[in-house]
Amino acid sequence: AVSDAQTILLSSESLFRELTDREAANLARLAGELGEEWQAIGYVRSPLGRYLSGLQQGLKSSSKLLRPQAMNAVACIRAHEAVFGDGLQIAAFDRAQLAGGDIVTDFLGRMNLPTDLPRRGRTERNVSLSAEAMALLQEFGAPERGRSRSEVRRQKRIRRIVGLVDARVEGFCRPALRPEVIDRLTRLNGDLLTLRDDYDLVFPDIDYALVGQTAGLDDRNFRSVGEICKVDACRRDEMRARVARRLRH
């Protein structure tokens, strides 16, 4: 498409990830076709928040639990450095460290653009669910990711109902990882030391004395949300009854 715009902004969760040599070459080519000068910002999340977010996203389509693992953030950064060079900035995706606690405001400020640009409303999507809701998504969800249209529709209905019930039952709070999960994620993510030393990224929820200490690490599988997050059993049971009633109608 032809445009006379002086500035083009591109933003995507799927763009800032590890790239193959071919993908990096394609990105460099496309960037060159769109403009002469580029600046890029890669936001890196703490492995604890990243894992919890990925766990929730996975449970919205399948009852299979995401395994705690290393996030390999440095490999992602290196791939984008090869494309953008000194034009790449790395920042922490942490509300306490974002300008105004808002990623859009932070992004615009880092790009030296006005931060008061008009916005077409601000709708929260993928709102965080409670641990009780996560447990019910696992319980009512498909054993594997649904492929048929009817299964996809069923999963969407379950997700919608669980979300509605989660918002209406008293006692909602954001999910918290159990200490043993935090410990495993911290030990597995040796990249955190490189992020701290080379990119000045420090996450307040990380115990840096444990980073990379994988000797004797317990590698057992977690089989339920309750083994990963603290679940209020009474609230979960109340929610289960309401979800089951809605699914029958």
Side-chain angles (χ1 to χ4, degrees):
V2 177
S3 173
D4 59 357
Q6 292 183 335
T7 302
I8 299 174
L9 300 179
L10 300 178
S11 176
S12 171
E13 288 185 0
S14 62
L15 188 61
F16 191 58
R17 57 178 175 80
E18 289 186 66
L19 302 173
T20 64
D21 291 342
R22 182 176 180 180
E23 289 171 333
N26 284 338
L27 179 59
R29 176 180 56 80
L30 290 170
E33 291 175 356
L34 288 172
E36 298 178 356
E37 181 179 347
W38 280 92
Q39 289 179 279
I41 300 176
Y43 287 93
V44 180
R45 195 170 191 174
S46 161
L48 306 186
R50 186 175 186 271
Y51 171 68
L52 192 53
S53 175
L55 181 66
Q56 289 209 358
Q57 293 306 310
L59 285 169
K60 288 177 180 179
S61 57
S62 168
S63 61
K64 186 176 180 180
L65 297 177
L66 177 66
R67 185 180 179 86
Q69 56 194 337
M71 63 180 182
N72 299 320
V74 173
C76 172
I77 293 172
R78 299 284 197 247
H80 286 78
E81 284 178 332
V83 176
F84 297 106
D86 293 338
L88 175 67
Q89 297 181 50
I90 301 300
F93 183 75
D94 173 27
R95 289 188 186 276
Q97 299 183 53
L98 296 173
D102 176 65
I103 193 168
V104 175
T105 301
D106 189 88
F107 176 83
L108 293 173
R110 289 177 183 273
M111 287 295 178
N112 296 315
L113 296 169
T115 58
D116 58 350
L117 294 176
R119 305 189 197 180
R120 295 183 178 180
R122 303 177 64 173
T123 302
E124 289 279 350
R125 297 188 178 183
N126 289 327
V127 177
S128 180
L129 298 170
S130 69
E132 295 77 44
M134 293 166 61
L136 292 179
L137 286 178
Q138 182 186 20
E139 180 178 333
F140 286 97
E144 298 179 358
R145 184 180 296 274
R147 289 183 173 84
S148 68
R149 290 186 178 181
S150 61
E151 183 58 36
V152 170
R153 286 195 297 269
R154 177 179 177 274
Q155 290 298 126
K156 286 183 177 179
R157 182 167 180 248
I158 290 171
R159 184 169 68 235
R160 180 179 60 81
I161 290 173
V162 169
L164 288 172
V165 171
D166 195 27
R168 293 177 182 176
V169 173
E170 187 177 355
F172 173 90
C173 63
R174 291 183 178 276
L177 295 174
R178 290 191 176 276
E180 54 269 33
V181 181
I182 294 173
D183 182 81
R184 182 186 295 189
L185 285 167
T186 302
R187 293 177 186 273
L188 284 174
N189 280 278
D191 274 10
L192 287 165
L193 298 179
T194 303
L195 293 174
R196 180 194 65 187
D197 299 339
D198 293 0
Y199 299 97
D200 199 29
L201 288 188
V202 176
F203 299 102
D205 58 355
I206 295 296
D207 180 355
Y208 281 85
L210 298 177
V211 173
Q213 304 298 314
T214 58
L217 184 64
D218 178 13
D219 196 34
R220 67 185 176 88
N221 287 327
F222 295 109
R223 301 183 182 279
S224 70
V225 170
E227 293 180 353
I228 297 173
C229 299
K230 301 171 184 177
V231 175
D232 182 331
C234 292
R235 185 172 188 269
R236 179 203 58 205
D237 292 348
E238 170 64 21
M239 289 176 58
R240 179 193 290 121
R242 295 194 188 192
V243 170
R245 284 198 297 269
R246 286 174 174 265
L247 287 175
R248 287 196 293 266
H249 298 290

